[in-house]
Amino acid sequence: MSIKGTAFENEDRFGVKGNYFWVIDGATDLFDSQENIGYSVAECMELLSDELYAVCGTQASLVDDFKCAITKLNRYIFGPRILTNKEYAKSPTYSMVYGVIKGSRIDYILIGDCYLIVDNQVITDTRISEFAKANRKKVEKLLSEVDKTELEKARKEVFQATRLKANAEDGYPIGSLCVTSVDNVVQGSLQFKGNLKVMTDGFYKRSEE
């Protein structure tokens, strides 16, 4: 499940193919992706979902499926160009859940704050949480320190500084257009009795209200 956020384009994608399923939540564009790489965040998420649909179940594991999809997308967007970690951080990033139902079991990988709910077990990646909390505190502090006319710019700079920590040693793991970002996924397997939901963080928060 996903819902349209505040962006002009919907940056969420949901897919199903046979017993495979996924949800991808594109992060808010902070560095003008269209100008930077020629594709918007929404377009990149659409391309990623299409590549995953094409390759899902063809590789040895879920991780290998996703690596294959990202490898193809990376080649399509960047060609032979080799990007730095900072350039990848400025390019579209995303949270995702990708899984497969195998009889009474679900295998999954996830990264970022999308949600997998299996028979009332709620699973997400909390590694980004401390950075999100720190951002909220910084933004709250800005309210009393920055003139209203400069607030939006200052707020964006806070989030840009955090985004540049994507997959950095002192930062947080998140999905990106860099193939090695897939190495940071959380992997797991659960017994499955028949109740399955996958959703973005926005939809999860909405459902909990």
Side-chain angles (χ1 to χ4, degrees):
M1 293 184 242
S2 68
I3 56 175
K4 186 174 177 63
T6 57
F8 178 73
E9 297 178 287
N10 189 353
E11 296 162 345
D12 304 340
R13 293 295 180 270
F14 174 75
V16 174
K17 184 178 181 181
N19 291 338
Y20 290 82
F21 59 87
W22 58 92
V23 64
I24 304 169
D25 183 3
T28 300
D29 189 357
L30 297 174
F31 294 101
D32 195 352
S33 179
Q34 186 75 57
E35 177 69 22
N36 187 28
I37 66 171
Y39 296 89
S40 68
V41 174
E43 288 171 330
C44 287
M45 299 307 102
E46 181 73 15
L47 289 167
L48 176 54
S49 186
D50 288 347
E51 292 290 2
L52 190 55
Y53 186 91
V55 305
C56 73
T58 65
Q59 307 299 308
S61 67
L62 295 175
V63 168
D64 289 337
D65 279 355
F66 214 83
K67 276 190 175 181
C68 184
I70 290 293
T71 298
K72 290 185 175 184
L73 180 57
N74 185 294
R75 189 179 301 124
Y76 179 79
I77 292 177
F78 301 119
R81 180 182 168 196
I82 299 175
L83 276 70
T84 64
N85 289 338
K86 186 175 181 179
E87 287 174 316
Y88 275 123
K90 287 185 174 183
S91 300
T93 60
Y94 55 87
S95 300
M96 70 86 183
V97 174
Y98 174 46
V100 60
I101 300 172
K102 295 182 176 180
S104 61
R105 191 181 86 233
I106 287 179
D107 295 336
Y108 67 87
I109 60 173
L110 61 84
I111 192 168
D113 54 3
C114 283
Y115 284 79
L116 171 66
I117 304 174
V118 180
D119 299 323
N120 296 319
Q121 297 182 72
V122 180
I123 302 159
T124 190
D125 182 358
T126 61
R127 292 174 292 179
I128 196 174
S129 298
E130 63 179 280
F131 293 90
K133 290 177 182 176
N135 278 351
R136 285 195 291 271
K137 289 181 179 179
K138 290 175 184 177
V139 170
E140 288 174 4
K141 190 176 180 182
L142 289 175
L143 295 174
S144 61
E145 295 181 348
V146 178
D147 186 270
K148 288 184 179 180
T149 59
E150 297 293 324
L151 184 58
E152 190 57 36
K153 179 184 176 182
R155 182 177 177 275
K156 184 176 181 180
E157 289 173 349
V158 167
F159 288 104
Q160 285 179 325
T162 300
R163 183 67 57 82
L164 292 177
K165 292 182 178 291
N167 296 310
E169 288 186 7
D170 62 340
Y172 60 94
I174 198 70
S176 88
L177 301 183
C178 179
V179 177
T180 59
S181 68
V182 184
D183 295 332
N184 296 325
V185 299
V186 175
Q187 303 181 59
S189 183
L190 292 169
Q191 289 300 306
F192 174 56
K193 296 179 181 179
N195 191 342
L196 167 66
K197 297 177 184 177
V198 288
M199 61 185 74
T200 65
D201 66 322
F203 198 102
Y204 180 76
K205 290 172 184 174
R206 179 90 170 258
S207 69
E208 291 294 293
E209 291 177 356

